[in-house]
Amino acid sequence: MRPQFAPSLMCMDFLNVREDMEILNRHADLYHVDIMDGHYCKNITLSPDMVKVFKSVAKKPIDVHLMTTDPLDWIERVADAGADYISPHAETINANAYRVLNEIENLGCKKGVVLNPATPLSMAEQYLKRIDLLTIMTIDVGFAGQPFIEEMLEKVRLAKRLKEENGYHYQIQIDGSCNQKTYKKLFDAGAEIFIVGYSGLFRLEETLEKSWGRMEEIFRQETGCPEI
């Protein structure tokens, strides 16, 4: 399977949303939208209203990452706004994971789950067979630009091994510091989708079109992967 790329839309220039998304529509595999409630992590970013704006332009699926204390307060709202994937944190659904996953599915969305760096894969092991997208955080939640946590490579390897041994269908997505310094490590460990933000995409060149080309060039050089 070829590697896939998911631009983190909170890193966009919000004065040029339509223009930039028209460029991204030609290249991206899916979009990553962070919603933070200011409680689960000490930041507030995007919202269901912004998901609706993105959906009006997007030609690729939208994955909504819920960094929220109670995902059930948000799931219906983001589904109505146009989310294709909904990905709450395992830490926030431990008491009612199956109800949350059923709610996501009943609303017609694909099911994701996100693991913080200090959260073991075993926390989600009971329902891994049910999910479509497994996102492994390689930085702590809340803010862009943090350093890559090397210990997460073993979690990626374990996720790949469990997927292969059990025939699970989830895709392994990486959130945090996906860039020139980490592409090869993550790719070799089994990462399938790379969320790209400031360091991986948006600040590489003077235009977004050139930045995407530069990102692909860097990825090929670092990983030796010819097909992107």
Side-chain angles (χ1 to χ4, degrees):
M1 180 183 294
R2 72 169 183 83
Q4 298 182 57
F5 298 92
S8 177
L9 296 188
M10 77 172 186
C11 300
M12 292 177 67
D13 178 355
F14 285 102
L15 295 178
N16 297 295
V17 169
R18 180 176 296 276
E19 295 87 344
D20 283 358
M21 288 197 67
E22 287 173 351
I23 293 170
L24 293 173
N25 280 334
R26 299 197 291 269
H27 302 289
D29 295 287
L30 67 159
Y31 293 119
H32 187 80
V33 175
D34 289 306
I35 292 183
M36 307 179 195
D37 63 1
H39 299 284
Y40 180 69
C41 58
K42 299 301 180 183
N43 198 3
I44 297 174
T45 52
L46 304 177
S47 68
D49 286 339
M50 285 304 300
V51 174
K52 189 177 297 185
V53 171
F54 296 144
K55 189 67 174 182
S56 70
V57 186
K59 294 183 179 178
K60 302 295 174 66
I62 295 176
D63 169 34
V64 174
H65 176 186
L66 291 178
M67 284 174 267
T68 61
T69 300
D70 189 348
L72 285 172
D73 290 342
W74 296 85
I75 286 172
E76 186 172 0
R77 292 172 63 193
V78 297
D80 289 345
D84 297 283
Y85 293 80
I86 300 178
S87 298
H89 272 258
E91 305 86 8
T92 66
I93 64 170
N94 192 39
N96 55 1
Y98 291 97
R99 184 158 67 94
V100 170
L101 295 175
N102 287 341
E103 177 71 5
I104 293 171
E105 186 172 4
N106 290 339
L107 288 167
C109 299
K110 293 188 176 182
K111 305 177 293 295
V113 71
V114 186
L115 299 174
N116 272 328
T119 302
L121 189 55
S122 59
M123 178 171 275
E125 192 168 358
Q126 294 301 312
Y127 52 82
L128 285 177
K129 66 181 179 181
R130 292 197 179 196
I131 65 173
D132 304 293
L133 187 63
L134 174 65
T135 301
I136 295 175
M137 299 289 300
T138 54
I139 60 172
D140 286 326
V141 298
F143 297 90
Q146 299 179 65
F148 181 79
I149 301 172
E150 293 281 341
E151 292 88 340
M152 295 306 98
L153 292 170
E154 183 53 40
K155 190 186 291 186
V156 178
R157 295 186 192 101
L158 177 57
K160 180 183 179 182
R161 185 161 68 248
L162 287 174
K163 176 180 178 177
E164 292 175 344
E165 290 175 354
N166 295 283
Y168 296 152
H169 68 277
Y170 58 74
Q171 290 182 281
I172 302 170
Q173 177 171 255
I174 306 301
D175 189 353
S177 291
C178 290
N179 54 41
Q180 186 169 7
K181 295 179 180 179
T182 62
Y183 284 145
K184 179 171 174 53
K185 299 174 186 179
L186 290 167
F187 183 70
D188 290 347
E192 297 168 319
I193 304 174
F194 298 82
I195 296 172
V196 283
Y198 293 125
S199 66
L201 174 63
F202 290 94
R203 292 180 177 170
L204 291 180
E205 297 287 349
E206 65 270 21
T207 69
L208 184 53
E209 186 71 51
K210 289 182 179 179
S211 289
W212 192 279
R214 178 62 180 147
M215 182 199 70
E216 290 191 348
E217 179 184 8
I218 290 170
F219 191 90
R220 289 191 185 97
Q221 289 173 348
E222 295 297 322
T223 65
C225 179
E227 184 183 359
I228 296 180

